[in-house]
Amino acid sequence: MRYRTVGGLRVSSVGLGAMPLSIEGRPDEGRAMATVHAALDAGVTLLDTADSYHLPGEEPGHNERLVARALATYGGDTADVLVTTKGGRGRPADGSWTVTGSPRHLKSAAEASLKRLGVEAIGLYQLHKPDPAVPFEESVGALRDLLDEGKIRHAGISNTDVGQIRRAHALLGDRLVSVQNRYSPAVRDSEPELRLCAELGLAFLPWSPLGGISRSSLDGPSRRLPPEDTGHSTGLDAFHAVARERGVSPQQVCLAWLLARSPVVVPIPGASRPGTIRDSAGAADLELTPEEVARLEVEAGVGS
């Protein structure tokens, strides 16, 4: 496993997005726990969760409790594992994703996450999404207060644009350590945000990093394509071609490409099976040649 940094903390260069373990199509408890344990066995030290990762209408925190149980029952050392969670979104019974960014709500949500995770302070707490009904500085101010109170050690923001990143950085300084936006070969709207993170020294945590290669968990259970599958026609055929040439999965090539985009990138692919996260973790050691990177970037349209 290779490593990168988040707020000065050394973490595995590939993390685990735990959301698929708790939302629609989730595995049973045994497989979910085995998936987290497989990630830890593979050297993954960044686990991403959120209070809203649960089935519609359920009590918040299913995924946080699951991650906490998995860490508690793991036979190895978990001292270096960074658990990052998020607050500010909800999942009512209709299956929608709501946004609530008031300081009162965020502080209450962080307190509840603390208890569910069973920690003295949350390693990295992120505003899940800006609330258009709440001034952005007020939501970020709640993160500042949580930092001052010692309830969270580092702060991050998610689903934000360049202007919001700059405003959050102005308020939090070096206590803002990460930005978590959607980014993949198929979805590159956050290219400017990635460049700004590199400029400011912020970790960039792409969610749904396998877009175009695998389905997002938001679209339902993902499906891995075998290397020999040529009937996918995703528009990203070079990723599959390089995978066949290297004898690895297209997903692994995708994650290796993301890592090559910038040293601040720490992708957090989702997984609901032990084999899937083991494969994803292998991307940390897959070094693409400059020619392969150029070939993939042409197809992904980087710079276009």
Side-chain angles (χ1 to χ4, degrees):
M1 176 59 68
R2 296 175 187 270
Y3 297 89
R4 295 197 165 179
T5 59
V6 176
L9 302 173
R10 192 179 85 147
V11 300
S12 56
S13 57
V14 175
L16 169 65
M19 182 175 77
L21 303 176
S22 292
I23 64 167
E24 294 87 330
R26 69 192 189 192
D28 61 34
E29 174 90 1
R31 198 175 90 195
M33 300 288 277
T35 299
V36 179
H37 289 170
L40 299 170
D41 287 341
V44 171
T45 62
L46 189 152
L47 306 179
D48 179 79
T49 181
D51 61 0
S52 58
Y53 294 166
H54 57 81
L55 294 177
E58 280 195 354
E59 182 182 353
H62 179 278
N63 201 241
E64 291 174 324
R65 287 189 291 269
L66 188 150
V67 167
R69 288 196 301 275
L71 288 170
T73 57
Y74 183 63
D77 184 9
T78 60
D80 293 331
V81 174
L82 174 64
V83 176
T84 169
T85 191
K86 299 175 288 292
R89 303 209 74 175
R91 295 219 69 197
D94 64 5
S96 62
W97 293 83
T98 59
V99 182
T100 307
S102 69
R104 181 177 179 179
H105 173 82
L106 291 173
K107 291 178 182 180
S108 175
E111 292 273 9
S113 292
L114 259 176
K115 293 177 182 177
R116 287 190 290 263
L117 292 172
V119 294
E120 294 181 0
I122 296 171
L124 171 57
Y125 192 71
Q126 302 173 92
L127 171 66
H128 205 153
K129 187 174 184 178
D131 184 346
V134 177
F136 184 64
E137 279 75 8
E138 290 187 12
S139 296
V140 176
L143 299 182
R144 180 191 56 208
D145 292 345
L146 290 166
L147 286 163
D148 291 342
E149 294 164 6
K151 294 176 181 176
I152 67 175
R153 293 195 172 95
H154 299 88
I157 52 178
S158 182
N159 299 301
T160 49
D161 59 30
V162 164
Q164 290 165 332
I165 295 171
R166 290 194 181 280
R167 289 156 64 190
H169 189 258
L171 279 171
L172 300 177
D174 61 8
R175 297 194 293 177
L176 177 72
V177 302
S178 67
V179 172
Q180 186 175 143
N181 279 14
R182 188 171 191 172
Y183 186 80
S184 70
V187 182
R188 300 184 319 283
D189 297 346
S190 285
E191 199 76 43
E193 289 74 21
L194 171 55
R195 289 195 294 269
L196 179 57
C197 285
E199 174 189 325
L200 297 176
L202 303 175
F204 185 82
L205 314 178
W207 63 267
S208 197
L210 299 174
I213 308 298
S214 297
R215 298 176 67 193
S216 166
S217 292
L218 293 173
D219 302 323
S222 61
R223 178 176 70 91
R224 287 190 62 205
L225 293 167
E228 68 275 9
D229 187 342
T230 58
H232 47 275
S233 186
T234 64
L236 296 169
D237 291 338
F239 287 84
H240 293 261
V242 170
R244 287 193 295 272
E245 293 162 9
R246 286 296 200 101
V248 298
S249 70
Q251 290 82 358
Q252 201 171 111
V253 171
C254 176
L255 294 171
W257 174 77
L258 285 166
L259 291 170
R261 296 289 298 129
S262 171
V264 302
V265 171
V266 182
I268 47 172
S272 60
R273 297 177 183 275
T276 304
I277 187 56
R278 282 194 290 263
D279 182 72
S280 291
D285 295 316
L286 177 62
E287 292 193 47
L288 300 173
T289 67
E291 293 76 19
E292 287 171 329
V293 171
R295 176 181 174 188
L296 298 173
E297 292 192 347
V298 166
E299 183 159 286
V302 172
S304 63

